[in-house]
C-alpha cells in the first residue's frame, strides 16, 4: 500500500466514494438501502485497505480472507468495494443496481458477483455462514498444514447490524463459535441503533458486549465507527486475541446526509434528489453521479497487492507440494470439489453388498451403513447432528468428535438445527469439506431458511432427516412429520430422497455426494423397513428418481409410493393380484430427479391412461401432480396421534384394505 493511504484526507475521500456510489445507485434504481453503506464506510476502509488479504484478479484465490456482508440489505457497500478495489465489476454494473440480469442484485448473491462469498440478506444467515467458513479454515489448517508450511492461514470477517444480532440464529452460531474458539473469526458490528421501525432501544436493549463475552468471545467495545485508525487498530488487536472477536463500532446510519442521518428514513429508501445534492455539498464531494476521482481509485486499487499476495502463496504452496505431494494433491482435489477416482467403484460395491445382504433395518441405520462405506474414500466428509447423533446415526467408526482445540470430522452442533444448517452452508462455500448434518424431519421447520439458501446458492450440502413420519410412534404429533416432505419438495433445486430400503438408501447417499449443483435432503425412517428385491436394471434406475419396482402384464392400475409405504404398496399389489387385478408398483424416492427425466422414460414408468394411486404417510395434495384429479392418494391430512406406530398406520388408513379400495375406486371411475 502507498503511504498516502494512511493519510486522513485520502481515507476520508475513500469513505466518501462509498457513500456517493451507494446513494447514487439507490437513487437511480429508486430502490435499496443507502443508510448502512454510508454509515459503515470508514469501517470498510479500515478493513479493506489495511487488513483484508484478497486478489481482485482471482476472487477464488484459495488462501484469501473471506468477507461476509451479513447485513446484506446494504449491498451497495460490497458492490462499491469490489468495484473500487479492482474486481470485474465495472461502473456500468453499479449503474444497473437492482436491475434484471445485472451483477448487482438487491442483495449480494454468490456466483453472480465476482468477490461475493455468500448470498446474504435474510438476516443472521451471513454471520452463520461466516462461522462455517472460519470452522472450515481451522479444520483444513489442522489437517494440511505442516511445520514450516502454513498454507491454510486466513481470516473470516463479517459485517453485522442490529438485525443480524436480533435474529435467533445469531445466538445459536455465535455460541458455538465461542465454544469451539474459532479465533480467526472477526465480526464488526454496525451499532447504529436504528432499524426499519426506528430506534431499536424500544425492542432491543441487549447488552451485546456482555452477551458475546459470555459466549467466550473477545469483545472490543465502544469503537468510533467513523475513525479509520481506531477501527484498524481494533482489528489488529482482534487478530492476536486467540478467540473469535466482536468489534462494536458506534456509527451514524446514513452519515453524510444533513437531514436524514441517524434516522430510519435513510434505512431502506432512496434519499431523493434534493438530499443527494445536500450530501454532496456536506461531504465536499463535487463530482457527478458515479464519478470517482483518479486518486481515489488509486488509493483503493488492490490488484497489484493482491497479485503479489497470491504469487507469494503460490511459491509457498509449490514448496509444500514438493515436500508433501500427496497432501497437496488431496487438498487441490477437495477444493475443486472433485470426487476421488475410486468413489464410483466403492459406491457400486456398497450397493452390491446391500443387495446381497437383503437386510430388513431402519433406513436411518441403512444411512449410517452408507456413511461407513463411503467415508473410507471420502476424507472430506464432515458430519454432525443437532444433539441427536444416537438417533440420527450420522457418526461412523473412524469419526472423531470436534472439540475446542481438538480437530475432528464429526460435529456435535447441540440443539441448534437452524444454526447447524447455515454453518454447513458456510463450510460448503469455503470448500475443502463435504458437510452433512442431521436432525428429526419435523425440525426441518427450524432449518428451512438455510435449506432454501443452500438451494439458491447451489451448495453441496447434505441434510439428513430421520424419524420421517407417524412411524416414529409414541412421541406424538409434535414430532410426527406430516407436511414436511411435501413442503420441502416445493423448494426449487432441492433434491429430496425418501428411500424404502438399504439399496435405495445407499443410492441416495451416492447421488447426494456426487451432486455438484445443489443440496440434497436424505429422509429416513425410525422403524425397520423390509428389503426389496430388484434386478440390475432396477438398481440402476433408482438414480433416475422413480422406477418400476414391480411390474405386471397389462397392469390395470399403478401404485406410486415412497419410503416406508413401499411395503404397503407391495402387500396391496399381492392382495389385488389374488383378486385377479394386475397392478404395477412404482418406487419414487426422489420426485425432483424423476421430473428431470425425459418424457419417454416418464411415460414408460407411468403409462398414460392407467389409473394411479399414490401412497405416502404425509399430506395428500402434492401427489395429485402424478395421479391426476381422477386418481387417488392414501395419505394423512391431519396431525398425528401419540400411539405405537403400528396402531397409528392402521388408524390413519395405511392398510392393505384401504389401498385396495382406492384402487378399485379409481378403476371404476
Amino acid at each position: 500500500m502507498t503511504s498516502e493511504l494512511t493519510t486522513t484526507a485520502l481515507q476520508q475521500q475513500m469513505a466518501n466514494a462509498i457513500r456517493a456510489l451507494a446513494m447514487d445507485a439507490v437513487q437511480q434504481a429508486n430502490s435499496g438501502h443507502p443508510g448502512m453503506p454510508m454509515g459503515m464506510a470508514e469501517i470498510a476502509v479500515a478493513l479493506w485497505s489495511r487488513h483484508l488479504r484478497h486478489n481482485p484478479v482471482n476472487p477464488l484465490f484459495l488462501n484469501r480472507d473471506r468477507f461476509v456482508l451479513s447485513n446484506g440489505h446494504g449491498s451497495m457497500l460490497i458492490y462499491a468495494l469490489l468495484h473500487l478495489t479492482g474486481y470485474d465489476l465495472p461502473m456500468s454494473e453499479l449503474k444497473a443496481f437492482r436491475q434484471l440480469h445485472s451483477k448487482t442484485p438487491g442483495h449480494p448473491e454468490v456466483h453472480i458477483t465476482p468477490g461475493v462469498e455468500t448470498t446474504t440478506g435474510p438476516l443472521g444467515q451471513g454471520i452463520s455462514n461466516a462461522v462455517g467458513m472460519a470452522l472450515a479454515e481451522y479444520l483444513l489448517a489442522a489437517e494440511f498444514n505442516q511445520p514450516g508450511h502454513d498454507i491454510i492461514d486466513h481470516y473470516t470477517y463479517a459485517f453485522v447490524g442490529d438485525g443480524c444480532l436480533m435474529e435467533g440464529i445469531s445466538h445459536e452460531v455465535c455460541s458455538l463459535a465461542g465454544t469451539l474458539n474459532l479465533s480467526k473469526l472477526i465480526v464488526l458490528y454496525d451499532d447504529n441503533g436504528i432499524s426499519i421501525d426506528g430506534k431499536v432501544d424500544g425492542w432491543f436493549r441487549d447488552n451485546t458486549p456482555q452477551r458475546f463475552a459470555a459466549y467466550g468471545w473477545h469483545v472490543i467495545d465502544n469503537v468510533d465507527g467513523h475513525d479509520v485508525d481506531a477501527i484498524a487498530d481494533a482489528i489488529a488487536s482482534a487478530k492476536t486475541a486467540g478467540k473469535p472477536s466482536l468489534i462494536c463500532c458506534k456509527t451514524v446510519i446514513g452519515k453524510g446526509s444533513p437531514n436524514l442521518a441517524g434516522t430510519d428514513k435513510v434505512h431502506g429508501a432512496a434519499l431523493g434528489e434534493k438530499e443527494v445534492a445536500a450530501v454532496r455539498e456536506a461531504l465536499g464531494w463535487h463530482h457527478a453521479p458515479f464519478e470517482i476521482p483518479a486518486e481515489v481509485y488509486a488509493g483503493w486499487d488492490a490488484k497489484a497487492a493482491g497479485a503479489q499476495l497470491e504469487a507469494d502463496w503460490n511459491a509457498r504452496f509449490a514448496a509444500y507440494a514438493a515436500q508433501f505431494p500427496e497432501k497437496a494433491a488431496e487438498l487441490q482435489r477437495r477444493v475443486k470439489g472433485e470426487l476421488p477416482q475410486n468413489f464410483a467403484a466403492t459406491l457400486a460395491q456398497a450397493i452390491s453388498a446391500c443387495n446381497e445382504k437383503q437386510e430388513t433395518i431402519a433406513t436411518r441405520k441403512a444411512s449410517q451403513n452408507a456413511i461407513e462405506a463411503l467415508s473410507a474414500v471420502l476424507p472430506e466428509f464432515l458430519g454432525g447432528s443437532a444433539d441427536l447423533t444416537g438417533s440420527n446415526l450420522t457418526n461412523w467408526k473412524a469419526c472423531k468428535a470436534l472439540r475446542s482445540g481438538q480437530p475432528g470430522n464429526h460435529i456435535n452442533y447441540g440443539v441448534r438445527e437452524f444454526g447447524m444448517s447455515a454453518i454447513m452452508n458456510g463450510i460448503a462455500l469455503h470448500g475443502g469439506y463435504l458437510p452433512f448434518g442431521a436432525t428429526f424431519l419435523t425440525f426441518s421447520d427450524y432449518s428451512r431458511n438455510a435449506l432454501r439458501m443452500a438451494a439458491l446458492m447451489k451448495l453441496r450440502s447434505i441434510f439428513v432427516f430421520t424419524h420421517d413420519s407417524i412411524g416414529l410412534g409414541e412421541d406424538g404429533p409434535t414430532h410426527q412429520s406430516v407436511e414436511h416432505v411435501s413442503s420441502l419438495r416445493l423448494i426449487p433445486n432441492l433434491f429430496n430422497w425418501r428411500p424404502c430400503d438399504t439399496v435405495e438408501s445407499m443410492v441416495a447417499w451416492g447421488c447426494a455426494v456426487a451432486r455438484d449443483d445443489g443440496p440434497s435432503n436424505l429422509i429416513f425412517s425410525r422403524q425397520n423397513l423390509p428389503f426389496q428385491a430388484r434386478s440390475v436394471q432396477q438398481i440402476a434406475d433408482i438414480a433416475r428418481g422413480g422406477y418400476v419396482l414391480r411390474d405386471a402384464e397389462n397392469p390395470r392400475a399403478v401404485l406410486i409410493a415412497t419410503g416406508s409405504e413401499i411395503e404397503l404398496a407391495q402387500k396391496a399389489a399381492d392382495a389385488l393380484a389374488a383378486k385377479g387385478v394386475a397392478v404395477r408398483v412404482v418406487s419414487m424416492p426422489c420426485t425432483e430427479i424423476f421430473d428431470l427425466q425425459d418424457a419417454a422414460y416418464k411415460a414408460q414408468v407411468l403409462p398414460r391412461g392407467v389409473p394411479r394411486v399414490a401412497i405416502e404417510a404425509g399430506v395428500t395434495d402434492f401427489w395429485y401432480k402424478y395421479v391426476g384429479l381422477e386418481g387417488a392418494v392414501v395419505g394423512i391430512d391431519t396431525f398425528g396421534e401419540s400411539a405405537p406406530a403400528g396402531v397409528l398406520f392402521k388408524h390413519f388408513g395405511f392398510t392393505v384394505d384401504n389401498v385396495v379400495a382406492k384402487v378399485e375406486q379409481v378403476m371404476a371411475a
Side-chain angles (χ1 to χ4, degrees):
M1 302 291 182
T2 62
S3 59
E4 288 82 358
L5 257 178
T6 62
T7 66
T8 302
L10 184 54
Q11 285 177 169
Q12 194 59 61
Q13 282 187 298
M14 291 167 66
N16 288 342
I18 293 173
R19 293 188 170 97
L21 288 173
M23 70 176 183
D24 288 343
V26 172
Q27 185 64 36
Q28 179 150 309
N30 196 29
S31 172
H33 299 76
M36 185 277 273
M38 296 175 73
M40 293 194 77
E42 282 83 10
I43 301 173
V45 172
L47 175 61
W48 279 65
S49 71
R50 302 275 195 94
H51 289 282
L52 193 73
R53 297 177 298 178
H54 62 119
N55 184 6
V57 178
N58 179 15
L60 299 181
F61 161 48
L62 175 58
N63 201 41
R64 69 191 182 279
D65 289 339
R66 270 60 170 181
F67 173 72
V68 174
L69 190 73
S70 189
N71 41 355
H73 55 272
S75 55
M76 267 310 302
L77 177 63
I78 193 169
Y79 298 150
L81 288 165
L82 294 170
H83 170 76
L84 292 167
T85 55
Y87 285 78
D88 183 19
L89 193 68
M91 188 66 82
S92 59
E93 294 291 348
L94 274 63
K95 292 179 179 179
F97 178 56
R98 287 184 163 231
Q99 304 308 302
L100 185 64
H101 302 316
S102 76
K103 293 183 179 180
T104 51
H107 293 84
E109 295 187 41
V110 70
H111 311 313
I112 298 294
T113 312
V116 169
E117 299 282 3
T118 180
T119 300
T120 56
L123 294 176
Q125 290 274 357
I127 177 60
S128 306
N129 296 162
V131 171
M133 293 175 187
L135 178 56
E137 190 276 342
Y138 164 68
L139 292 174
L140 279 178
E143 184 175 354
F144 286 97
N145 287 355
Q146 298 295 314
H149 296 275
D150 290 338
I151 55 164
I152 302 296
D153 180 20
H154 53 266
Y155 287 86
T156 300
Y157 298 97
F159 283 2
V160 303
D162 292 301
C164 293
L165 299 186
M166 280 188 261
E167 288 285 359
I169 192 174
S170 72
H171 295 258
E172 295 184 24
V173 301
C174 293
S175 170
L176 186 59
T179 300
L180 296 178
N181 201 36
L182 300 179
S183 61
K184 289 190 174 178
L185 174 63
I186 299 176
V187 176
L188 294 109
Y189 168 33
D190 178 29
D191 184 8
N192 60 37
I194 295 291
S195 68
I196 293 175
D197 281 355
K199 294 182 178 180
V200 301
D201 61 5
W203 49 87
F204 182 57
R205 295 186 183 179
D206 297 12
N207 189 320
T208 298
Q210 288 187 12
R211 167 187 159 191
F212 276 79
Y215 292 152
W217 286 52
H218 173 67
V219 178
I220 303 175
D221 195 11
N222 289 315
V223 175
D224 183 348
H226 302 296
D227 183 334
V228 173
D229 292 335
I231 301 161
D233 288 347
I235 297 171
S237 174
K239 288 181 175 181
T240 65
K243 300 179 178 181
S245 293
L246 178 73
I247 302 173
C248 301
C249 302
K250 294 289 185 180
T251 63
V252 176
I253 190 171
K255 184 173 174 60
S257 173
N259 302 302
L260 300 178
T263 74
D264 58 284
K265 304 300 182 185
V266 76
H267 175 92
L271 302 183
E273 292 182 3
K274 289 184 178 179
E275 190 65 14
V276 167
V279 172
R280 279 187 156 76
E281 187 64 30
L283 297 179
W285 186 263
H286 303 299
H287 309 288
F290 300 103
E291 179 182 314
I292 304 297
E295 64 269 20
V296 175
Y297 269 127
W300 271 117
D301 190 357
K303 293 192 295 293
Q308 186 60 55
L309 177 72
E310 184 170 0
D312 292 344
W313 184 85
N314 286 339
R316 288 161 49 201
F317 187 78
Y320 174 83
Q323 191 169 348
F324 307 99
E326 291 183 0
K327 280 188 170 292
E330 173 67 9
L331 176 60
Q332 289 176 313
R333 175 190 72 78
R334 286 163 55 173
V335 168
K336 292 176 182 176
E338 297 175 349
L339 291 171
Q341 291 183 350
N342 55 351
F343 173 77
T346 300
L347 176 61
Q349 184 178 6
I351 294 170
S352 178
C354 288
N355 197 47
E356 290 175 5
K357 288 182 179 179
Q358 302 186 15
E359 291 180 295
T360 292
I361 55 177
T363 52
R364 61 172 173 162
K365 179 59 180 177
S367 168
Q368 185 178 46
N369 292 343
I371 295 170
E372 192 72 54
L374 299 180
S375 65
V377 294
L378 291 173
E380 58 264 48
F381 257 180
L382 184 56
S385 180
D387 202 50
L388 293 167
T389 302
S391 294
N392 300 143
L393 304 182
T394 50
N395 55 341
W396 62 103
K397 291 178 182 177
C399 73
K400 180 181 178 183
L402 169 69
R403 296 290 184 267
S404 177
Q406 176 185 303
N409 54 2
H410 187 274
I411 304 171
N412 297 104
Y413 284 99
V415 187
R416 302 181 177 101
E417 296 89 355
F418 192 8
M420 172 184 72
S421 302
I423 288 172
M424 286 168 53
N425 289 344
I427 293 168
L429 285 160
H430 183 281
Y433 291 101
L434 174 52
F436 62 90
T439 186
F440 290 170
L441 178 58
T442 193
F443 302 136
S444 63
D445 286 339
Y446 290 152
S447 307
R448 190 177 183 88
N449 194 243
L451 304 182
R452 183 177 186 272
M453 296 301 289
L456 177 62
M457 292 189 275
K458 301 180 179 179
L459 298 183
R460 199 158 159 244
S461 297
I462 299 176
F463 303 99
V464 178
F465 296 114
T466 66
H467 297 61
D468 68 343
S469 71
I470 58 172
L472 68 86
E474 292 86 347
D475 277 345
T478 61
H479 285 56
Q480 291 166 1
S481 305
V482 175
E483 75 278 19
H484 299 74
V485 177
S486 286
S487 68
L488 291 170
R489 289 176 178 138
L490 298 177
I491 300 176
N493 197 43
L494 179 62
F495 287 0
N496 295 276
W497 287 88
R498 189 171 184 250
C500 73
D501 69 353
T502 57
V503 174
E504 283 192 359
S505 296
M506 188 67 73
V507 172
W509 262 105
C511 290
V513 168
R515 189 180 184 204
D516 61 2
D517 62 350
S520 299
N521 288 339
L522 303 180
I523 300 167
F524 299 115
S525 72
R526 178 199 184 202
Q527 72 273 30
N528 290 345
L529 302 183
F531 171 81
Q532 302 292 331
R534 300 173 184 81
S535 68
V536 173
Q537 184 58 54
Q538 286 173 316
I539 292 174
D541 286 343
I542 295 172
R544 303 187 76 165
Y547 65 102
V548 179
L549 176 62
R550 170 179 176 158
D551 210 357
E553 187 174 351
N554 299 318
R556 296 174 61 190
V558 177
L559 297 177
I560 310 168
T562 74
S564 52
E565 285 65 70
I566 284 291
E567 178 184 12
L568 176 57
Q570 291 279 42
K571 289 180 178 179
D574 289 338
L576 286 161
K579 299 176 71 170
V581 179
V583 298
R584 169 180 289 184
V585 176
V586 169
S587 178
M588 199 176 288
C590 185
T591 62
E592 295 84 8
I593 294 179
F594 180 76
D595 289 347
L596 294 174
Q597 302 306 304
D598 59 77
Y601 179 77
K602 287 187 283 188
Q604 176 187 331
V605 175
L606 300 176
R608 294 181 179 88
V610 181
R612 305 169 187 174
V613 174
I615 314 167
E616 188 173 65
V619 294
T620 60
D621 283 2
F622 171 84
W623 286 102
Y624 287 100
K625 68 181 285 190
Y626 296 108
V627 303
L629 294 179
E630 68 281 3
V633 182
V634 177
I636 174 172
D637 289 318
T638 66
F639 293 111
E641 298 281 353
S642 178
V647 174
L648 290 173
F649 278 114
K650 183 177 180 180
H651 173 74
F652 287 108
F654 292 93
T655 64
V656 170
D657 288 345
N658 190 36
V659 174
V660 168
K662 293 290 186 182
V663 171
E664 292 174 339
Q665 174 186 324
V666 299
M667 286 172 53

